[in-house]
Amino acid sequence: MWAYICRRILYAVPILIGVNLLTFMLFFLVNSPDDMARAQLGGKYVKDEAIEAWKANHGYDKPLFFNSGADGLDKLTQTIFFQKSLRLFLFDFGISDDGRSISRDIKDRMWPSLAIALPTFVVGLMVNITVAILIVMFRGAVFELIAVIGLVMLMSISGLFYIIVGQYVISVLCHLAPISGFGTGPADSWRFLILPVIIGVISGIGSGARWYRTIFLEEIHKDYVRTARAKGLSEIRVFFRHVLKNAMLPILTGVVVVIPLLFLGILIMESFFGIPGLGSYTIEAIESQDFAIVRAMVFLGSVLYIAGLILTDISYTRFDPRVRLS
Amino acid sequence: MKLVLLWTDCLFFLLLAGIALMVPLSGRNIQLREQWGRVFGSRVGVASAMVLCAFLVTAALDSVHFRPALENAGSNTGGQIHYSPRVLSLLDCIFGELNRPAEKTYSVPFASHAFCKENVLTQSGDVVREFPRLSYGGRHLEDPENEKLRDIMSRTGKAVVHAFMLWALIAVSCVQMLAWRQNRSFSGSVVRIWRPAPAVFPWRTVFAVLLVIFLVSGWLYEMSRVYHVLGTDKVGMDVLFQALKSIRTGVLIGLLTTLVMLPIAILFGVSAGYFGGWIDDVIQYVYTTLNSIPGVLLIAAAILILQVYMNNHPELFDTEASRSDMRLLFLCIILGVTSWTGLCRMLRAETLKLRSLEYVDAARAFAVRSHVILARHILPNVLHIVLISVALDFSGLVLAEAVLSYVGVGVDPSMNSWGNMINSARLELAREPVVWWPLASAFFFMFCLVLAANLFADAVRDAFDPRTRMVK
């Protein structure tokens, strides 16, 4: 088991290097540090000295890949690629353009993000599966038709609609929850989480419940279900003892596919609800064109994704004895 | 007048031509004909396809661009004609005056007076604070309070009658054609359409949807000539017109992204599955790497870089339209680059399965070359996956555009798109009284397109996916 996990983690290294190279190319080869400095300092009419000073300040005054001016190992380490990209592997994200430590910011902002993403994810999962089970149990009835049409309609509504209208209805019209913001401690923060979590769950029902419904439908036509029914088990028992257990495997796959999407979800949610998490951090960075932060978040995002992939493979073995680690 | 062919226009028309070419080709193949027959044989399938077609037509109208000649510019420059820097499309022509701000600021749908009070100079020279008349909406009315309702009713009546007559003309000629082809009397044909036997092409649905499309578009056109049907936005632009112009952006993002994504996904997916070995390893590595970067961030990074590049090279773009068009194209490319991985993985898995089947072995035993095997034996058998995933992705891409524009990495802010409309209108619900129409219109149009796309995708999946066919 441990050997397998170690191997998977080692396998992740070339992928992360690839991610790094890609972002590096995007950020430095297409636009030289000069362009970046000019964009940061504003406009075309910036003096060369100012650009040089900006580059020296932010550590962009080195060659890209190979420093022929330095000696020994410094030839490779005193380069932008090494300093800016490979350092990310040590989770050393450097400083942002406004001079703050990115690692520290990320540590501070991680908790609000988790406080939103985890409840949304867990509650959403349970709601989606419950809805899907209900639809499948009442299949063939008019209820199914209405529910399926309803799901397609829910799915076709833009996520922004849920956020904007949800904020308006729940907070402005009904005054049920604060519209946005975040508290200082866990005690007074939870109120602010209600609205984003509710909206996050509702906006996910359409596609989520539909997806689980297809999984259940596929399972329910298999032979073992017929056998179970033939044994005289009640429909409820068949469903919860047999179908649900066997549907666990495809559900797991689906769940992990969603993990990187969580990142997208919180990105929008946080900036709408004024929550000081990683998502709003990234959006602010994009708006102020702070490449250091965007690069750090790209790296972090891919680490999370790969961790998610490894987790699924491990959990496969827990749920499906047929899968062997190899 | 000078025709302007923007890059996205070119690709869009190429794509339409490609689709038009595919129709007779797939008509020759018995299996494909049967499957498409099932798609269009379902009422939901044919209805959603027609709505999609209506959107496509609007987008196509909006994709024929030209620059009108400036009128009195020829005289003082020695006969040389100068063209307006504004690029117009056929859709702009249809709506005439609405393509530039018609009012000063907000106005309610069908309003004849402005939404905000202003200082108005009366004839006697006093300054009164009141709601001034709009310069476009309801300007033909003498006394809006009393006349408006009747005017709206009579115009509605006119539009309905016109739309109905056009519809009746088309419907009657269609039914007559059918009657001739099936050797039936006209009334017999009508009865058959009205009470269709199961598993017959749902003509009744076609005619009903056609009538609805005619009624809605006719009514909107008739009304928009004298009113702001969906009000105006903050700078006085007609919201209906903006929403209609946004159709092109939404449709193009959905279609062009697919165009970018398909070749990469098919080529890589099929060859990874078929050849295996190091090719498989490399391709798997590439898509795992790309997949592990959160898509939004990759898009954001790419768009930021494009922006810096464009700012440094302003000489490459002669009009504002070509500039925003470049950004749209680039957005499609980058969306395509981030979204081919899912399809590629599915194609690889399917090819792996197909590779070990006997007919492929047989082809190999006859020393058929690899690329011929791929083209003749593998590709046709994975096409259903391609088709289903294209249909499913389309709606997701339309929705993604809105989110990206909100983040600020979507299409150019000067371009009409639902995302930009939502983005600029999102604080309007907090106003008192509430300004709801720009937001509602953007969401409604987007909803219609995405719903139609989703329903069509469902119909395609039901017809092409062997698994769902088994379940049925």
Side-chain angles (χ1 to χ4, degrees), chain B residues 431-457:
Chain B
R431 282 178 67 106
E432 191 65 45
V434 178
V435 176
W436 49 270
W437 50 92
L439 212 57
S441 329
F443 279 130
F444 180 73
F445 273 83
M446 193 148 81
F447 175 71
C448 288
L449 177 58
V450 173
L451 185 63
N454 274 335
L455 290 175
F456 187 66

PDB file of all heavy atoms in Angstrom, chain B residues 431-457:
ATOM      1  N   ARG B 431     -30.313  48.638  -6.535  1.00  0.00           N
ATOM      2  CA  ARG B 431     -30.882  49.977  -6.686  1.00  0.00           C
ATOM      3  C   ARG B 431     -32.305  50.018  -6.135  1.00  0.00           C
ATOM      4  O   ARG B 431     -32.960  49.006  -5.982  1.00  0.00           O
ATOM      5  CB  ARG B 431     -30.927  50.361  -8.161  1.00  0.00           C
ATOM      6  CG  ARG B 431     -29.614  50.804  -8.721  1.00  0.00           C
ATOM      7  CD  ARG B 431     -29.797  51.098 -10.179  1.00  0.00           C
ATOM      8  NE  ARG B 431     -30.645  52.261 -10.367  1.00  0.00           N
ATOM      9  CZ  ARG B 431     -30.188  53.448 -10.741  1.00  0.00           C
ATOM     10  NH1 ARG B 431     -28.905  53.613 -10.943  1.00  0.00           N
ATOM     11  NH2 ARG B 431     -31.008  54.459 -10.901  1.00  0.00           N
ATOM     12  N   GLU B 432     -32.741  51.229  -5.880  1.00  0.00           N
ATOM     13  CA  GLU B 432     -34.119  51.414  -5.402  1.00  0.00           C
ATOM     14  C   GLU B 432     -34.754  52.483  -6.254  1.00  0.00           C
ATOM     15  O   GLU B 432     -34.268  53.622  -6.241  1.00  0.00           O
ATOM     16  CB  GLU B 432     -34.077  51.811  -3.929  1.00  0.00           C
ATOM     17  CG  GLU B 432     -35.400  51.775  -3.231  1.00  0.00           C
ATOM     18  CD  GLU B 432     -35.958  50.372  -3.142  1.00  0.00           C
ATOM     19  OE1 GLU B 432     -35.232  49.429  -2.802  1.00  0.00           O
ATOM     20  OE2 GLU B 432     -37.148  50.259  -3.449  1.00  0.00           O
ATOM     21  N   PRO B 433     -35.774  52.255  -7.043  1.00  0.00           N
ATOM     22  CA  PRO B 433     -36.421  50.972  -7.345  1.00  0.00           C
ATOM     23  C   PRO B 433     -35.519  50.046  -8.179  1.00  0.00           C
ATOM     24  O   PRO B 433     -34.620  50.523  -8.857  1.00  0.00           O
ATOM     25  CB  PRO B 433     -37.645  51.401  -8.168  1.00  0.00           C
ATOM     26  CG  PRO B 433     -37.293  52.740  -8.719  1.00  0.00           C
ATOM     27  CD  PRO B 433     -36.400  53.377  -7.719  1.00  0.00           C
ATOM     28  N   VAL B 434     -35.847  48.782  -8.105  1.00  0.00           N
ATOM     29  CA  VAL B 434     -34.968  47.772  -8.676  1.00  0.00           C
ATOM     30  C   VAL B 434     -34.934  47.840 -10.198  1.00  0.00           C
ATOM     31  O   VAL B 434     -35.969  47.977 -10.844  1.00  0.00           O
ATOM     32  CB  VAL B 434     -35.454  46.381  -8.241  1.00  0.00           C
ATOM     33  CG1 VAL B 434     -34.597  45.313  -8.866  1.00  0.00           C
ATOM     34  CG2 VAL B 434     -35.438  46.269  -6.747  1.00  0.00           C
ATOM     35  N   VAL B 435     -33.734  47.768 -10.758  1.00  0.00           N
ATOM     36  CA  VAL B 435     -33.588  47.657 -12.212  1.00  0.00           C
ATOM     37  C   VAL B 435     -33.359  46.189 -12.518  1.00  0.00           C
ATOM     38  O   VAL B 435     -32.282  45.665 -12.309  1.00  0.00           O
ATOM     39  CB  VAL B 435     -32.392  48.492 -12.706  1.00  0.00           C
ATOM     40  CG1 VAL B 435     -32.193  48.295 -14.187  1.00  0.00           C
ATOM     41  CG2 VAL B 435     -32.594  49.944 -12.388  1.00  0.00           C
ATOM     42  N   TRP B 436     -34.385  45.521 -12.981  1.00  0.00           N
ATOM     43  CA  TRP B 436     -34.267  44.065 -13.118  1.00  0.00           C
ATOM     44  C   TRP B 436     -34.135  43.615 -14.555  1.00  0.00           C
ATOM     45  O   TRP B 436     -33.742  42.513 -14.852  1.00  0.00           O
ATOM     46  CB  TRP B 436     -35.491  43.384 -12.506  1.00  0.00           C
ATOM     47  CG  TRP B 436     -36.784  43.985 -12.987  1.00  0.00           C
ATOM     48  CD1 TRP B 436     -37.451  45.016 -12.402  1.00  0.00           C
ATOM     49  CD2 TRP B 436     -37.503  43.651 -14.166  1.00  0.00           C
ATOM     50  NE1 TRP B 436     -38.555  45.337 -13.140  1.00  0.00           N
ATOM     51  CE2 TRP B 436     -38.624  44.520 -14.228  1.00  0.00           C
ATOM     52  CE3 TRP B 436     -37.342  42.697 -15.173  1.00  0.00           C
ATOM     53  CZ2 TRP B 436     -39.551  44.470 -15.258  1.00  0.00           C
ATOM     54  CZ3 TRP B 436     -38.268  42.649 -16.200  1.00  0.00           C
ATOM     55  CH2 TRP B 436     -39.364  43.526 -16.235  1.00  0.00           C
ATOM     56  N   TRP B 437     -34.493  44.502 -15.530  1.00  0.00           N
ATOM     57  CA  TRP B 437     -34.638  43.983 -16.893  1.00  0.00           C
ATOM     58  C   TRP B 437     -33.337  43.614 -17.594  1.00  0.00           C
ATOM     59  O   TRP B 437     -33.346  42.620 -18.319  1.00  0.00           O
ATOM     60  CB  TRP B 437     -35.507  44.932 -17.713  1.00  0.00           C
ATOM     61  CG  TRP B 437     -35.124  46.369 -17.662  1.00  0.00           C
ATOM     62  CD1 TRP B 437     -34.308  47.007 -18.512  1.00  0.00           C
ATOM     63  CD2 TRP B 437     -35.535  47.328 -16.703  1.00  0.00           C
ATOM     64  NE1 TRP B 437     -34.170  48.308 -18.136  1.00  0.00           N
ATOM     65  CE2 TRP B 437     -34.915  48.546 -17.039  1.00  0.00           C
ATOM     66  CE3 TRP B 437     -36.361  47.293 -15.574  1.00  0.00           C
ATOM     67  CZ2 TRP B 437     -35.085  49.712 -16.302  1.00  0.00           C
ATOM     68  CZ3 TRP B 437     -36.538  48.448 -14.848  1.00  0.00           C
ATOM     69  CH2 TRP B 437     -35.912  49.639 -15.209  1.00  0.00           C
ATOM     70  N   PRO B 438     -32.218  44.338 -17.422  1.00  0.00           N
ATOM     71  CA  PRO B 438     -31.029  43.880 -18.154  1.00  0.00           C
ATOM     72  C   PRO B 438     -30.579  42.499 -17.699  1.00  0.00           C
ATOM     73  O   PRO B 438     -30.272  41.625 -18.507  1.00  0.00           O
ATOM     74  CB  PRO B 438     -29.974  44.937 -17.807  1.00  0.00           C
ATOM     75  CG  PRO B 438     -30.716  46.111 -17.317  1.00  0.00           C
ATOM     76  CD  PRO B 438     -31.935  45.568 -16.662  1.00  0.00           C
ATOM     77  N   LEU B 439     -30.590  42.310 -16.389  1.00  0.00           N
ATOM     78  CA  LEU B 439     -30.170  41.032 -15.825  1.00  0.00           C
ATOM     79  C   LEU B 439     -31.115  39.921 -16.265  1.00  0.00           C
ATOM     80  O   LEU B 439     -30.687  38.865 -16.738  1.00  0.00           O
ATOM     81  CB  LEU B 439     -30.201  41.169 -14.298  1.00  0.00           C
ATOM     82  CG  LEU B 439     -29.192  40.370 -13.518  1.00  0.00           C
ATOM     83  CD1 LEU B 439     -27.810  40.710 -13.977  1.00  0.00           C
ATOM     84  CD2 LEU B 439     -29.345  40.687 -12.043  1.00  0.00           C
ATOM     85  N   ALA B 440     -32.421  40.195 -16.127  1.00  0.00           N
ATOM     86  CA  ALA B 440     -33.403  39.169 -16.473  1.00  0.00           C
ATOM     87  C   ALA B 440     -33.292  38.790 -17.944  1.00  0.00           C
ATOM     88  O   ALA B 440     -33.356  37.608 -18.293  1.00  0.00           O
ATOM     89  CB  ALA B 440     -34.809  39.672 -16.155  1.00  0.00           C
ATOM     90  N   SER B 441     -33.103  39.789 -18.824  1.00  0.00           N
ATOM     91  CA  SER B 441     -33.034  39.456 -20.246  1.00  0.00           C
ATOM     92  C   SER B 441     -31.806  38.618 -20.548  1.00  0.00           C
ATOM     93  O   SER B 441     -31.891  37.632 -21.287  1.00  0.00           O
ATOM     94  CB  SER B 441     -32.974  40.706 -21.106  1.00  0.00           C
ATOM     95  OG  SER B 441     -33.654  41.748 -20.520  1.00  0.00           O
ATOM     96  N   ALA B 442     -30.656  39.011 -19.979  1.00  0.00           N
ATOM     97  CA  ALA B 442     -29.439  38.249 -20.247  1.00  0.00           C
ATOM     98  C   ALA B 442     -29.614  36.807 -19.785  1.00  0.00           C
ATOM     99  O   ALA B 442     -29.316  35.859 -20.523  1.00  0.00           O
ATOM    100  CB  ALA B 442     -28.250  38.878 -19.532  1.00  0.00           C
ATOM    101  N   PHE B 443     -30.132  36.649 -18.567  1.00  0.00           N
ATOM    102  CA  PHE B 443     -30.311  35.282 -18.054  1.00  0.00           C
ATOM    103  C   PHE B 443     -31.327  34.521 -18.884  1.00  0.00           C
ATOM    104  O   PHE B 443     -31.161  33.334 -19.150  1.00  0.00           O
ATOM    105  CB  PHE B 443     -30.753  35.320 -16.594  1.00  0.00           C
ATOM    106  CG  PHE B 443     -29.622  35.538 -15.653  1.00  0.00           C
ATOM    107  CD1 PHE B 443     -29.688  36.504 -14.679  1.00  0.00           C
ATOM    108  CD2 PHE B 443     -28.479  34.776 -15.742  1.00  0.00           C
ATOM    109  CE1 PHE B 443     -28.641  36.712 -13.807  1.00  0.00           C
ATOM    110  CE2 PHE B 443     -27.421  34.971 -14.875  1.00  0.00           C
ATOM    111  CZ  PHE B 443     -27.514  35.947 -13.906  1.00  0.00           C
ATOM    112  N   PHE B 444     -32.387  35.194 -19.315  1.00  0.00           N
ATOM    113  CA  PHE B 444     -33.431  34.489 -20.043  1.00  0.00           C
ATOM    114  C   PHE B 444     -32.920  33.998 -21.392  1.00  0.00           C
ATOM    115  O   PHE B 444     -33.124  32.841 -21.764  1.00  0.00           O
ATOM    116  CB  PHE B 444     -34.659  35.387 -20.233  1.00  0.00           C
ATOM    117  CG  PHE B 444     -35.755  34.704 -20.965  1.00  0.00           C
ATOM    118  CD1 PHE B 444     -36.503  33.714 -20.346  1.00  0.00           C
ATOM    119  CD2 PHE B 444     -36.026  34.993 -22.293  1.00  0.00           C
ATOM    120  CE1 PHE B 444     -37.503  33.052 -21.029  1.00  0.00           C
ATOM    121  CE2 PHE B 444     -37.021  34.327 -22.980  1.00  0.00           C
ATOM    122  CZ  PHE B 444     -37.752  33.360 -22.344  1.00  0.00           C
ATOM    123  N   PHE B 445     -32.244  34.857 -22.131  1.00  0.00           N
ATOM    124  CA  PHE B 445     -31.733  34.433 -23.434  1.00  0.00           C
ATOM    125  C   PHE B 445     -30.725  33.307 -23.277  1.00  0.00           C
ATOM    126  O   PHE B 445     -30.722  32.340 -24.034  1.00  0.00           O
ATOM    127  CB  PHE B 445     -31.093  35.617 -24.169  1.00  0.00           C
ATOM    128  CG  PHE B 445     -32.075  36.410 -24.955  1.00  0.00           C
ATOM    129  CD1 PHE B 445     -32.840  37.384 -24.362  1.00  0.00           C
ATOM    130  CD2 PHE B 445     -32.260  36.155 -26.300  1.00  0.00           C
ATOM    131  CE1 PHE B 445     -33.755  38.113 -25.083  1.00  0.00           C
ATOM    132  CE2 PHE B 445     -33.178  36.881 -27.037  1.00  0.00           C
ATOM    133  CZ  PHE B 445     -33.921  37.855 -26.421  1.00  0.00           C
ATOM    134  N   MET B 446     -29.869  33.449 -22.280  1.00  0.00           N
ATOM    135  CA  MET B 446     -28.875  32.409 -22.049  1.00  0.00           C
ATOM    136  C   MET B 446     -29.573  31.099 -21.697  1.00  0.00           C
ATOM    137  O   MET B 446     -29.212  30.032 -22.196  1.00  0.00           O
ATOM    138  CB  MET B 446     -27.969  32.845 -20.908  1.00  0.00           C
ATOM    139  CG  MET B 446     -26.740  32.012 -20.796  1.00  0.00           C
ATOM    140  SD  MET B 446     -25.399  32.989 -20.190  1.00  0.00           S
ATOM    141  CE  MET B 446     -25.728  32.984 -18.494  1.00  0.00           C
ATOM    142  N   PHE B 447     -30.590  31.210 -20.853  1.00  0.00           N
ATOM    143  CA  PHE B 447     -31.339  30.020 -20.438  1.00  0.00           C
ATOM    144  C   PHE B 447     -31.949  29.319 -21.640  1.00  0.00           C
ATOM    145  O   PHE B 447     -31.875  28.101 -21.759  1.00  0.00           O
ATOM    146  CB  PHE B 447     -32.413  30.440 -19.432  1.00  0.00           C
ATOM    147  CG  PHE B 447     -33.338  29.339 -19.011  1.00  0.00           C
ATOM    148  CD1 PHE B 447     -32.877  28.318 -18.204  1.00  0.00           C
ATOM    149  CD2 PHE B 447     -34.655  29.324 -19.433  1.00  0.00           C
ATOM    150  CE1 PHE B 447     -33.719  27.307 -17.822  1.00  0.00           C
ATOM    151  CE2 PHE B 447     -35.503  28.309 -19.047  1.00  0.00           C
ATOM    152  CZ  PHE B 447     -35.034  27.298 -18.241  1.00  0.00           C
ATOM    153  N   CYS B 448     -32.543  30.098 -22.542  1.00  0.00           N
ATOM    154  CA  CYS B 448     -33.172  29.483 -23.716  1.00  0.00           C
ATOM    155  C   CYS B 448     -32.152  28.711 -24.541  1.00  0.00           C
ATOM    156  O   CYS B 448     -32.381  27.552 -24.909  1.00  0.00           O
ATOM    157  CB  CYS B 448     -33.809  30.554 -24.598  1.00  0.00           C
ATOM    158  SG  CYS B 448     -35.272  31.261 -23.882  1.00  0.00           S
ATOM    159  N   LEU B 449     -31.023  29.341 -24.811  1.00  0.00           N
ATOM    160  CA  LEU B 449     -30.012  28.675 -25.635  1.00  0.00           C
ATOM    161  C   LEU B 449     -29.490  27.422 -24.940  1.00  0.00           C
ATOM    162  O   LEU B 449     -29.396  26.343 -25.548  1.00  0.00           O
ATOM    163  CB  LEU B 449     -28.858  29.641 -25.926  1.00  0.00           C
ATOM    164  CG  LEU B 449     -27.702  29.053 -26.712  1.00  0.00           C
ATOM    165  CD1 LEU B 449     -28.172  28.525 -28.036  1.00  0.00           C
ATOM    166  CD2 LEU B 449     -26.614  30.088 -26.929  1.00  0.00           C
ATOM    167  N   VAL B 450     -29.174  27.548 -23.652  1.00  0.00           N
ATOM    168  CA  VAL B 450     -28.580  26.415 -22.941  1.00  0.00           C
ATOM    169  C   VAL B 450     -29.599  25.297 -22.783  1.00  0.00           C
ATOM    170  O   VAL B 450     -29.262  24.113 -22.933  1.00  0.00           O
ATOM    171  CB  VAL B 450     -28.035  26.880 -21.581  1.00  0.00           C
ATOM    172  CG1 VAL B 450     -27.572  25.707 -20.762  1.00  0.00           C
ATOM    173  CG2 VAL B 450     -26.903  27.838 -21.782  1.00  0.00           C
ATOM    174  N   LEU B 451     -30.851  25.662 -22.513  1.00  0.00           N
ATOM    175  CA  LEU B 451     -31.875  24.627 -22.360  1.00  0.00           C
ATOM    176  C   LEU B 451     -32.055  23.871 -23.669  1.00  0.00           C
ATOM    177  O   LEU B 451     -32.098  22.629 -23.691  1.00  0.00           O
ATOM    178  CB  LEU B 451     -33.195  25.262 -21.922  1.00  0.00           C
ATOM    179  CG  LEU B 451     -34.316  24.274 -21.622  1.00  0.00           C
ATOM    180  CD1 LEU B 451     -33.929  23.398 -20.446  1.00  0.00           C
ATOM    181  CD2 LEU B 451     -35.609  24.983 -21.326  1.00  0.00           C
ATOM    182  N   ALA B 452     -32.140  24.619 -24.773  1.00  0.00           N
ATOM    183  CA  ALA B 452     -32.286  23.949 -26.063  1.00  0.00           C
ATOM    184  C   ALA B 452     -31.093  23.042 -26.325  1.00  0.00           C
ATOM    185  O   ALA B 452     -31.250  21.898 -26.769  1.00  0.00           O
ATOM    186  CB  ALA B 452     -32.417  24.986 -27.176  1.00  0.00           C
ATOM    187  N   ALA B 453     -29.887  23.546 -26.019  1.00  0.00           N
ATOM    188  CA  ALA B 453     -28.692  22.735 -26.257  1.00  0.00           C
ATOM    189  C   ALA B 453     -28.698  21.489 -25.389  1.00  0.00           C
ATOM    190  O   ALA B 453     -28.365  20.388 -25.845  1.00  0.00           O
ATOM    191  CB  ALA B 453     -27.443  23.564 -25.990  1.00  0.00           C
ATOM    192  N   ASN B 454     -29.109  21.644 -24.139  1.00  0.00           N
ATOM    193  CA  ASN B 454     -29.140  20.486 -23.235  1.00  0.00           C
ATOM    194  C   ASN B 454     -30.142  19.441 -23.703  1.00  0.00           C
ATOM    195  O   ASN B 454     -29.863  18.238 -23.681  1.00  0.00           O
ATOM    196  CB  ASN B 454     -29.505  20.933 -21.820  1.00  0.00           C
ATOM    197  CG  ASN B 454     -28.291  21.368 -21.046  1.00  0.00           C
ATOM    198  OD1 ASN B 454     -27.173  20.944 -21.340  1.00  0.00           O
ATOM    199  ND2 ASN B 454     -28.499  22.215 -20.073  1.00  0.00           N
ATOM    200  N   LEU B 455     -31.323  19.907 -24.100  1.00  0.00           N
ATOM    201  CA  LEU B 455     -32.347  18.955 -24.531  1.00  0.00           C
ATOM    202  C   LEU B 455     -31.902  18.242 -25.801  1.00  0.00           C
ATOM    203  O   LEU B 455     -32.100  17.034 -25.963  1.00  0.00           O
ATOM    204  CB  LEU B 455     -33.672  19.685 -24.767  1.00  0.00           C
ATOM    205  CG  LEU B 455     -34.342  20.187 -23.488  1.00  0.00           C
ATOM    206  CD1 LEU B 455     -35.577  20.998 -23.821  1.00  0.00           C
ATOM    207  CD2 LEU B 455     -34.714  19.034 -22.579  1.00  0.00           C
ATOM    208  N   PHE B 456     -31.271  19.006 -26.712  1.00  0.00           N
ATOM    209  CA  PHE B 456     -30.789  18.395 -27.942  1.00  0.00           C
ATOM    210  C   PHE B 456     -29.694  17.379 -27.623  1.00  0.00           C
ATOM    211  O   PHE B 456     -29.673  16.273 -28.187  1.00  0.00           O
ATOM    212  CB  PHE B 456     -30.270  19.481 -28.881  1.00  0.00           C
ATOM    213  CG  PHE B 456     -29.910  18.967 -30.231  1.00  0.00           C
ATOM    214  CD1 PHE B 456     -30.887  18.474 -31.076  1.00  0.00           C
ATOM    215  CD2 PHE B 456     -28.602  18.953 -30.663  1.00  0.00           C
ATOM    216  CE1 PHE B 456     -30.568  17.983 -32.322  1.00  0.00           C
ATOM    217  CE2 PHE B 456     -28.268  18.468 -31.908  1.00  0.00           C
ATOM    218  CZ  PHE B 456     -29.255  17.979 -32.737  1.00  0.00           C
ATOM    219  N   ALA B 457     -28.809  17.751 -26.706  1.00  0.00           N
ATOM    220  CA  ALA B 457     -27.736  16.826 -26.329  1.00  0.00           C
ATOM    221  C   ALA B 457     -28.318  15.541 -25.757  1.00  0.00           C
ATOM    222  O   ALA B 457     -27.822  14.440 -26.027  1.00  0.00           O
ATOM    223  CB  ALA B 457     -26.814  17.485 -25.307  1.00  0.00           C
TER     224      ALA B 457
END
